[in-house]
């Protein structure tokens, strides 16, 4: 039983990573047989992984039919950012307040400041081709920030809700940082967030987070509607606004 569980977890992590990184494009079919052959797994762990991913909103799963990678729609993106804008600025403010009361809360955020500075210095020294390969390092820093906020947020319900939205957020990150200019702008936005949190400035943390989300949404909409989008042709234009 432990072995099957381990295999299921491995298949789940692999599929989730492929969906979040857009290696598996929106709408792609997820055949249990084909995936099992590719991943060296039986149909049971593949089926379990698909069901978990469906629960996270990354897979559209209808019993008796072939599962597909969940679509990305403009309406869905706007709806996601509407709820993120309600939740994440408040979480940032709570973390800033906690840090002001207990310096130990700020340890991971001070470390992220150092990582951000080191990354920017090295990134700006790269040529365009090298910069394109350097996005992954920034993704890791951005993800580290998000996870640090979740871990430090003293409201467990708020933290859990934000965490449950992470899969959708991570997948869209690969679209929003579609060029060096946006990535460097996002870097500045994260710097402002880190400064506010490490200085215990709750109002500035909330405002910086709100600004970052607004800028990210704008970049996403522009990227998703561009002919140069990495998933051009796979984005649904729907009536949700």
């Amino acid at each position: 039983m432990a072995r099957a569980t381990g295999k299921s977890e491995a298949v789940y992590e692999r599929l989730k990573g492929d969906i979040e990184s857009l290696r598996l494009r929106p709408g792609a079919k997820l055949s249990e047989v084909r995936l099992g052959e590719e991943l060296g797994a039986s149909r049971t762990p593949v089926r379990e992984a698909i069901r978990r991913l469906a629960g996270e909103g990354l897979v559209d799963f209808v019993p008796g039919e072939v599962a597909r990678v969940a679509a990305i729609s403009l309406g869905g993106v706007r709806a996601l950012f509407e709820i993120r804008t309600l939740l994440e600025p408040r979480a940032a403010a709570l973390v800033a307040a906690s840090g002001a009361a207990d310096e130990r809360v700020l340890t991971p955020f001070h470390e992220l400041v150092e990582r951000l500075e080191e990354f920017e210095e090295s990134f700006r020294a790269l040529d365009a081709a090298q910069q394109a390969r350097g996005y992954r390092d920034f993704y890791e820093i951005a993800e580290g920030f998000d996870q640090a906020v979740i871990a430090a947020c003293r409201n467990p319900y708020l933290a859990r809700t934000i965490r449950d939205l992470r899969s959708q957020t991570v997948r869209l990150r690969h679209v929003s940082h579609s060029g060096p200019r946006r990535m460097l702008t996002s870097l500045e936005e994260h710097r402002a967030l880190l400064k506010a949190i490490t200085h215990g400035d709750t109002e500035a943390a909330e405002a910086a987070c709100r600004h970052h989300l607004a800028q990210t949404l704008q970049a996403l909409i522009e990227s998703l509607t561009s002919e140069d989008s990495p998933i051009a042709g796979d984005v649904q234009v729907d009536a949700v606004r």
Side-chain angles (χ1 to χ4, degrees):
M1 180 64 71
R3 203 156 141 197
T5 301
K7 192 63 176 180
S8 298
E9 186 68 22
V11 171
Y12 163 77
E13 292 292 345
R14 169 67 182 275
L15 289 178
K16 184 176 182 179
D18 285 349
I19 292 172
E20 289 179 343
S21 65
L22 302 176
R23 285 190 291 270
L24 279 172
R25 298 169 70 86
K29 293 182 179 180
L30 300 174
S31 164
E32 292 178 7
V33 174
R34 181 179 59 79
L35 288 171
E37 292 173 349
E38 291 180 0
L39 302 175
S42 66
R43 295 184 66 175
T44 298
V46 173
R47 186 179 301 119
E48 291 174 354
I50 288 174
R51 286 175 176 167
R52 286 180 65 184
L53 293 166
E56 296 176 18
L58 290 177
V59 167
D60 292 329
F61 177 71
V62 179
E65 298 183 12
V66 175
R68 294 177 180 270
V69 176
I72 291 178
S73 69
L74 296 183
V77 169
R78 291 187 177 98
L80 174 64
F81 273 77
E82 183 176 4
I83 192 66
R84 288 186 67 189
T85 301
L86 290 173
L87 301 176
E88 293 181 27
R90 179 57 180 163
L94 289 175
V95 172
S98 296
D102 183 355
E103 180 70 23
R104 292 172 297 178
V105 172
L106 299 178
T107 298
F109 297 97
H110 287 303
E111 293 173 354
L112 284 165
V113 170
E114 295 179 6
R115 289 180 62 189
L116 202 64
E117 297 301 330
E118 292 172 359
F119 169 79
E120 182 178 13
E121 182 178 354
S122 61
F123 184 82
R124 290 185 182 277
L126 302 176
D127 60 33
Q130 292 172 320
Q131 285 183 345
R133 295 192 295 271
Y135 289 6
R136 184 170 183 173
D137 292 337
F138 179 70
Y139 294 156
E140 290 178 357
I141 294 172
E143 181 64 20
F145 172 81
D146 292 335
Q147 293 297 337
V149 169
I150 291 170
C153 181
R154 298 297 173 86
N155 183 322
Y157 299 101
L158 179 57
R160 186 179 303 118
T161 305
I162 294 172
R163 185 181 63 238
D164 289 346
L165 296 173
R166 291 304 305 150
S167 294
Q168 299 293 337
T169 301
V170 171
R171 181 162 69 144
L172 291 173
R173 178 178 289 152
H174 290 266
V175 181
S176 63
H177 298 141
S178 55
R181 181 177 299 178
R182 171 56 199 157
M183 201 211 65
L184 288 170
T185 302
S186 182
L187 186 151
E188 291 298 331
E189 292 161 8
H190 279 85
R191 178 181 285 118
L193 269 162
L194 286 165
K195 179 180 179 181
I197 288 174
T198 55
H199 283 72
D201 191 332
T202 58
E203 291 185 5
E206 186 166 350
C209 185
R210 197 175 301 279
H211 174 72
H212 170 62
L213 291 171
Q215 293 298 108
T216 301
L217 176 58
Q218 180 180 342
L220 265 170
I221 297 300
E222 291 175 355
S223 180
L224 290 171
T225 55
S226 168
E227 294 180 357
D228 297 328
S229 169
I231 53 173
D234 294 328
V235 179
Q236 295 180 359
V237 180
D238 46 38
V240 180
R241 291 293 182 268

